[in-house]
Structures are given as structure tokens and as C-alpha cells.
Amino acid sequence: MTSPEQTHRDVFGAPPDGVWSAPGRVNLIGEHTDYNQGLVLPIALRQRTTAACTARDDDLLRMHSAQGGAGPEVVEVRIGDVGPGSPEGWTAYVAGVLWALREDGFAVRGMDVSVDSEVPVGAGLSSSAALECAVGAAASDLFGLGLLADAEGRARLAAACVRAENEVAGAATGGMDQSAALLCGEGAALLLDCRDGATEQVPFDLAAVDHVLLVTDTRATHALNDGQYESRRRACEAAASALGVASLREVPVEGLDAALDRLGDDEQRRRTRHVVTEIARVEATVAALRAGDLEEVGRLFLASHASLRDDYEVSCDELDVSVDAAVGAGALGARMTGGGFGGSSIALLPSGSVEAARDAIAAAFAARGWREPRSFAVTAGPPAARDA
């Protein structure tokens, strides 16, 4: 495998100033709560996206991706020409970050950027945020922004990456993915309050208790900019408005039934029920992890998946089958993770059940004539950083 430095040299004719990387993420629980100012609980993956970068003295951004096919194809754009909807495709996630940093008042210039990634694209593991945050980390160091020095700076960089994805790439995501890539800690899950930005590290070392988190990339189509995500976000905003609250986070779980009675739209009732109960499940999962009660964590995973499937309607046959097969093979619990409509599921398993679960999921897919899924165990890794 060619090193990031060598690829950069091959494409741009000189070695990079440095190499930075950022992780994909798995959200343990708390799905579609981030844009409702709720709670989420992601971990950073060991699978990462790398960005080998060289600072330029002009406004030109030259970009190359190892995932773009054979050959040294380079896409060029001037930062001053970047804006909503331009450029398109994967380059929006690179150029958008520099645009957003400049919009935030930072003096950034052009760069030569070559990227490579181990994070599966379209698997619901946030390959886009990994790309944004790797580039953002590089820009911070190359232009002396100091955003990697502390949690406050990292949160500000995460906000710029969110703006890049929302406004330039046109994907109306919340801020969980970028926060996970920049703020997660090794061996821990990140409890993130999306209302005030508060974070807390929650120990998550399954190996110490002989358990594993198995991720299954169903390889079903997954895209967040096809309108389905945005329609659910709008339904939540409409429900909050009808209830007279700033966001659905303001609806307490003990007052959920009364709130639902006040909503005349059935879709809004179902979306609201998911969000309010999911926030409560995040709190319960944190408590269960701290108590070492993995059986309860598994039960909460299953309740989350049922809510996402039935009330939020973002699951699909492949996700449902992977969850059922994992539980049938000994998982304490399983659920879809990420935005949905495809992507990945996670399963909490005793270490000795991993092979059985992987085989059961593959067999269930084969029986239905689906593409073979990719299942792999993950551990909680470190956040975005400079590698070389």
C-alpha cells in the first residue's frame, strides 16, 4: 500500500508538509437526536481518513483522492469561488472546510491535498466527517489556527466542518459526526449534549469484559442528501413549533403522552416519540455502562432499533435482517447506526460469539440474494490528529 507521503509526492511532485487523519465513527445510541438538541453517544473508529497536505501561498486548492480511481487526477478550485453547491461531489467536503474557516474569520490559504480513507463510504460510519476533520486539522496546523490545542478549539473546528457539510455539500446533518471525529477519546464513548455542546468521556472498554462491538456494513444504499433526512428534520421542527418549544429536547419523557396528544399530525407524533424516547435511552445507556450492565445496554440497543424502524422509519430490510441475525447468534442487543436508509448496524456480543454472528448475518443475506455484508469488530479510537 502506497504511503500518504508517496502518493502526495507522485501527484504533486513534492512531499507534503505533513499528514493528518481523522476517524470514522459509530454512534452507540442517540440517533437523529443531534439536530433536535438532544444527546448522542458515539465512539471514534480505528478506521481513519488521511490528508497529506501542503500549504500554498495563493488561493488555489488542488485536491486528489486515492478513491477517485487510477491515475493522478487533480481537481482545482479557488477558495474564493467556493460556496453553497459549489464544488460538487467529494471535493465539496474538502473545499467547504476552508471556505467555512475563512467565513469564521480565519486567514486560510490554498493547499495541495491528497486524501485516502479506510472508512467505508456510504456505510453510515461518517466518512464525510472524517474527510472534513482531517482537512480541518491540517488547515489548523498549517495556518497556525491552534484549533487542535484544546476542546474549545476542536469544537470550533467541528462547527466549521458542520457548516461545510450543510452549506457547501448540501447535506443537512447535525453536529455529532464532526464532534466525534475531533473530540472522542481512546477507550471511551463521547456523551455529547447537542444543546450546549457539553461533553463527557464515558469509559467503553469491552475487551476488558470479554465483549465486542461488531459493525456490519450492509452495503445497502446510503445517502444523506437525498431528501429523506431533511424531511424528518423538518417534521421535528414542525412538531417543536406546534408544542411551543425550541426543540424536541425540551419535551420530557414523562410528559411525552401529553405532548403527543397536542400534535394533530400522525407523522409528527411518531417522529417526536422516537426523539424523546431516544434521548432517554442515551441517558439510560450511559448509566448502564457505568454500572457494567451490558445486558441492559443490549436491551436499550434493541429498543432504539425498534423505534428507528417503526417511529422514525429510517431502517431497511438489510438493517433489520442484520440485527435479527446477530441477536439470534448470541448478541445481547443490536441496532442500526447512522442516518439510516442503508448503512451499518452494530451488535454487542460476547467475544466468543463473534464468528457465529458474522456467519449468521452473511448466511441471512445470502439466503435473500443480497450482496455479502462486511462485518468487523471495532474499538474506541483516538480523535483527529497529525500523524507525520
Side-chain angles (χ1 to χ4, degrees), residues 64-383:
H64 167 79
S65 171
Q67 279 67 53
E73 180 184 355
V74 174
V75 180
E76 297 185 357
V77 64
R78 293 196 174 275
I79 301 174
D81 295 332
V82 177
S86 179
E88 298 180 339
W90 71 270
T91 58
Y93 299 96
V94 178
V97 173
L98 297 183
W99 170 84
L101 287 170
R102 184 173 284 185
E103 290 285 300
D104 197 23
F106 291 107
V108 299
R109 304 188 305 276
M111 296 195 302
D112 292 341
V113 182
S114 53
V115 299
D116 198 356
S117 186
E118 304 168 324
V119 184
V121 175
L125 304 178
S126 199
S127 57
S128 58
L131 174 57
E132 294 154 3
C133 294
V135 172
S140 176
D141 284 352
L142 290 176
F143 303 125
L145 310 184
L147 296 175
L148 299 183
D150 54 34
E152 182 179 354
R154 284 174 174 262
R156 189 171 180 182
L157 179 55
C161 293
V162 171
R163 188 173 182 188
E165 185 150 347
N166 287 175
E167 298 186 34
V168 178
T173 59
M176 173 185 64
D177 300 341
Q178 293 81 4
S179 294
L182 284 158
L183 293 166
C184 277
E186 188 161 11
L190 181 75
L191 176 60
L192 170 63
D193 188 326
C194 297
R195 179 167 55 189
D196 60 13
T199 61
E200 189 174 343
Q201 302 290 336
V202 178
F204 188 74
D205 183 5
L206 293 181
V209 289
D210 201 29
H211 279 69
V212 165
L213 190 72
L214 186 73
V215 174
T216 295
D217 174 7
T218 66
R219 304 175 74 184
T221 302
H222 169 84
L224 294 182
N225 58 357
D226 63 357
Q228 295 289 337
Y229 187 103
E230 179 61 27
S231 71
R232 282 153 180 78
R233 187 168 184 160
R234 286 197 303 268
C236 291
E237 291 169 350
S241 178
L243 294 171
V245 294
S247 72
L248 293 180
R249 170 70 180 280
E250 309 305 319
V251 180
V253 69
E254 59 272 15
L256 176 59
D257 288 343
L260 296 180
D261 287 343
R262 294 170 56 195
L263 293 173
D265 182 272
D266 185 59
E267 180 188 7
Q268 290 178 19
R269 282 195 292 269
R270 286 182 281 114
R271 306 303 187 238
T272 298
R273 182 165 52 231
H274 165 72
V275 171
V276 174
T277 58
E278 185 80 346
I279 292 170
R281 283 188 288 270
V282 175
E283 295 174 320
T285 299
V286 169
L289 285 172
R290 288 179 172 149
D293 188 352
L294 295 185
E295 294 280 353
E296 175 65 3
V297 174
R299 187 194 70 76
L300 291 161
F301 276 15
L302 288 169
S304 173
H305 184 76
S307 181
L308 287 158
R309 181 192 64 214
D310 301 336
D311 279 341
Y312 224 69
E313 298 177 287
V314 292
S315 190
C316 64
D317 290 344
E318 290 90 343
L319 288 167
D320 295 342
V321 166
S322 67
V323 165
D324 291 344
V327 172
L332 302 182
R335 60 182 291 273
M336 58 156 281
T337 188
F341 312 107
S344 296
S345 65
I346 57 174
L348 179 59
L349 290 153
S351 297
S353 299
V354 170
E355 288 303 319
R358 184 184 288 121
D359 292 346
I361 295 168
F365 275 50
R368 291 163 175 79
W370 296 339
R371 297 169 66 194
E372 184 178 2
R374 295 183 291 238
S375 297
F376 50 96
V378 300
T379 55

